Amino acid sequence: MNELTIPLKENGGEHLYQQIYNHIKNEIRKGNLPAGWQLPSTRALAAHLSVSRSTVDLAYEQLLSEGYIESVPHKGHFVCEITGLYLDLEGKEEKKAESPERLHKPAFDFSPNSVDMSGFPFATWKKISKAVFLDEEREVFELGDPKGDLRLREVICRYLHNSRGVICRPEQIIVGAGNDYLLSLLQKLLGEGKKVAVENPAYMRAARIFASEGCQVVPISLDDNGMRIDLLQESGAQIAYITPSRQFPTGIVMPIGRRMELLSWAKEEKERYIIEDDYDSEFRYKGKPIPSLQASDRMERVVYLGTFSKAIAPAIRISYMVLPGPLLKIYEEKLWFLSSTVSRIDQAILYRFMENGHFERYLNKMRKVYKGKHDLLLACLKPFHKAFRIEGEHAGLHVLLVDKRGFLEEELLSLAKAADCRVYGMSGYRLDDLQDVKETEIKTPATLVIGYGGLTEKQIKDGIERLKKAWQI
């Protein structure tokens, strides 16, 4: 494993994770860390620098989100291939080619994937971490249950039932280090060469993981109720990957009628399954929470996926999967020997965080924080109504702006970039390169994805004001 020495200043004015992030980013931009170079594991680097693993996790997560590094399941983190702008050792810019957009950190980044960490109870997390080392002694350093520690699975089971209506037993839950790992594990359970139907537009990372595992990915267009069942039937797919409680990125909530149609489709053949990704169901601002699809499944055809990345912090890297009976049986027969990918120390900390009520209190706090930002964003967008139709505004951490004036998506993105703002086009979430694009689909209005979770209220106000001027509203 490659080593990485980073000079850290305890009282340098920056958090330790920011120092680690800035050092690695600058080394990549200078060319000192070449494309394909493997970074130390988070555990190894944390030990080398004498910092907590969560500190390194935060730094790596930021580098991942900005495209400097990539995570390869079961292998580690690697430097991405980046051409264009590099910095020499004196920090001067050297123009080798046109600078890729992702190398520039804009003043206002409306990313739909960012979260607000300013209110995270770091002191509580640190206190729990110390208590785990004092109380658990040697146990947390020994190999545990491959599915994850039983007590953590029990508390997750209770949480899912109370908050999402999920019907399951602790033994059905698999705890893993992020959805990437769990989706890769799921492919082993489902079998090789499956045809997987994915919503279009979609969560692109999941589509890429399916493709990398040898699956044939089939994009299925949406209507006002979500994935179209007629196109799903025609596709010949055996697996359907969906986000029914809040479709990503459109925000469509799948109604009960379409959910029943989807479950009926799954029951038609023995090896059909539905993967329900409930990625940010905790944040809904109008009406009651939407029950999970799994809660309506009586034939054991739904695999339920969830994560703590948005509900707690991206660096937690703990996700969970609820397996239906038939797939649980395959797991226990064929994959029982796989070790858990989540440290038992991290599992013990998360268990105490949830069991002692800290998670529920933090979640309630963040709902209020995000609702405040959500309401502020919508208020700032009132002048935009003549130029855009606003959609998907009742849940999650982003909204959609659908153009009314006939602008191309590229034009709007370019104008925003000139104003030092980064917004995201719907085309970036489409899988049209995997299918024949119909003429009617090409002419759909330009649609922009505007996230707000990681911005302060002042940044939201100032950023929207810049977009207002850039788009001449």
Side-chain angles (χ1 to χ4, degrees):
M1 180 65 65
N2 295 322
E3 292 186 353
L4 190 61
T5 299
I6 302 174
L8 297 178
K9 298 179 181 179
E10 290 288 345
N11 299 311
E14 283 187 324
H15 291 296
L16 293 177
Y17 86 88
Q18 290 177 310
Q19 295 181 50
I20 296 170
Y21 154 74
N22 285 327
H23 179 87
I24 297 176
K25 179 186 72 173
N26 290 335
E27 289 295 285
I28 293 173
R29 296 185 70 178
K30 291 175 183 177
N32 293 338
L33 298 182
W37 191 84
Q38 184 174 7
L39 276 70
S41 69
T42 55
R43 187 190 302 277
L45 185 56
H48 181 62
L49 299 178
S50 297
V51 299
S52 69
R53 187 179 178 188
S54 61
T55 297
V56 179
D57 280 334
L58 279 172
Y60 277 24
E61 186 67 28
Q62 186 64 31
L63 292 164
L64 278 166
S65 65
E66 294 185 19
Y68 287 103
I69 65 175
E70 62 180 340
S71 175
V72 179
H74 314 301
K75 293 185 179 180
H77 294 88
F78 297 82
V79 175
C80 291
E81 178 69 46
I82 303 173
T83 58
L85 181 67
Y86 285 86
L87 300 179
D88 62 24
L89 294 178
E90 285 73 38
K92 298 178 182 178
E93 293 185 354
E94 178 187 352
K95 196 75 171 179
K96 292 188 177 181
E98 184 178 355
S99 172
E101 181 182 346
R102 66 182 177 184
L103 283 179
H104 171 67
K105 186 172 178 60
F108 304 96
D109 188 350
F110 290 89
S111 170
N113 299 316
S114 297
V115 298
D116 188 342
M117 291 298 299
S118 63
F120 185 76
F122 288 102
T124 299
W125 194 268
K126 185 176 182 180
K127 183 178 180 181
I128 294 174
S129 301
K130 288 183 177 179
V132 165
F133 281 105
L134 289 173
D135 299 343
E136 304 288 342
E137 296 182 347
R138 293 173 54 184
E139 182 182 346
V140 294
F141 293 97
E142 298 173 355
L143 285 176
D145 193 314
K147 293 180 181 179
D149 285 356
L150 176 59
R151 61 182 183 177
L152 175 59
R153 289 185 283 121
E154 287 175 339
V155 76
I156 291 174
C157 187
R158 291 198 302 270
Y159 165 68
L160 292 179
H161 182 69
N162 293 336
S163 66
R164 306 294 300 121
V166 172
I167 302 170
C168 68
R169 306 180 307 279
E171 54 264 34
Q172 292 176 259
I173 297 176
I174 310 293
V175 175
N179 280 9
D180 295 6
Y181 165 76
L182 292 178
L183 287 173
S184 297
L185 176 63
L186 185 55
Q187 296 311 303
K188 293 179 174 62
L189 297 174
L190 295 171
E192 296 182 357
K194 296 291 185 179
K195 186 178 287 189
V196 180
V198 177
E199 299 163 320
N200 191 26
Y203 174 50
M204 294 295 290
R205 193 174 186 88
R208 293 190 183 106
I209 291 170
F210 291 132
S212 70
E213 293 289 335
C215 297
Q216 182 181 348
V217 178
V218 184
I220 305 294
S221 298
L222 310 175
D223 58 21
D224 292 341
N225 294 325
M227 180 179 279
R228 288 178 52 182
I229 303 300
D230 58 333
L231 296 181
L232 177 61
Q233 291 280 14
E234 294 173 7
S235 72
Q238 298 118 319
I239 313 297
Y241 172 86
I242 60 169
T243 50
S245 295
R246 174 175 161 80
Q247 199 279 330
F248 186 87
T250 67
I252 294 172
V253 176
M254 184 178 288
I256 187 65
R258 180 60 54 85
R259 292 175 180 229
M260 293 299 103
E261 290 182 85
L262 197 57
L263 289 171
S264 295
W265 167 84
K267 289 188 290 186
E268 289 176 2
E269 294 186 15
K270 184 178 180 181
E271 294 188 353
R272 282 183 179 175
Y273 287 98
I274 300 166
I275 303 172
E276 177 183 11
D277 191 342
D278 213 9
Y279 67 99
D280 73 349
S281 59
E282 293 87 358
F283 305 116
R284 183 168 178 80
Y285 313 118
K286 184 178 180 181
K288 296 180 180 180
I290 305 298
S292 67
L293 175 66
Q294 195 269 3
S296 300
D297 177 28
R298 297 295 179 268
M299 299 295 293
E300 296 193 290
R301 295 303 178 91
V302 176
V303 179
Y304 181 89
L305 285 176
T307 179
F308 292 104
S309 292
K310 285 196 172 183
I312 300 181
I316 295 299
R317 301 300 295 165
I318 298 180
S319 297
Y320 46 87
M321 175 169 64
V322 180
L323 293 177
L327 293 181
L328 176 63
K329 184 178 179 181
I330 296 174
Y331 172 88
E332 292 177 338
E333 289 177 352
K334 298 183 178 180
L335 299 179
W336 57 270
F337 59 89
L338 293 177
S339 298
S340 175
T341 55
V342 181
S343 160
R344 293 195 70 194
I345 297 172
D346 293 337
Q347 292 186 59
I349 295 170
L350 179 57
Y351 161 73
R352 293 193 181 200
F353 190 72
M354 298 183 72
E355 180 68 13
N356 295 332
H358 300 297
F359 174 59
E360 184 176 357
R361 287 192 288 273
Y362 177 61
L363 200 54
N364 290 334
K365 175 183 177 180
M366 293 314 298
R367 285 194 186 104
K368 294 178 182 178
V369 169
Y370 288 135
K371 186 180 187 306
K373 293 184 180 185
H374 164 271
D375 293 347
L376 174 63
L377 176 65
L378 294 184
C380 292
L381 289 175
K382 283 184 178 179
F384 286 61
H385 282 276
K386 291 183 179 180
F388 294 94
R389 186 173 70 254
I390 300 174
E391 297 181 351
E393 70 272 27
H394 298 312
L397 299 179
H398 71 269
V399 301
L400 303 181
L401 299 183
V402 183
D403 177 68
K404 295 180 180 180
R405 298 182 293 180
F407 277 89
L408 296 176
E409 181 184 293
E410 293 80 5
E411 293 176 305
L412 294 169
L413 295 178
S414 179
L415 290 169
K417 181 180 178 182
D420 210 11
C421 296
R422 182 176 295 169
V423 297
Y424 298 79
M426 183 64 77
S427 64
Y429 301 95
R430 295 196 64 85
L431 298 162
D432 291 330
D433 57 328
L434 298 180
Q435 64 176 4
D436 294 330
V437 183
K438 299 177 182 178
E439 187 68 21
T440 55
E441 294 176 326
I442 296 175
K443 294 182 179 180
T444 54
T447 303
L448 304 176
V449 180
I450 309 291
Y452 56 87
L455 298 175
T456 64
E457 291 192 353
K458 185 178 187 305
Q459 287 174 326
I460 291 173
K461 291 178 182 178
D462 294 346
I464 293 299
E465 189 61 31
R466 285 204 188 190
L467 291 176
K468 181 180 177 182
K469 294 177 181 178
W471 293 334
Q472 298 181 356
I473 295 172

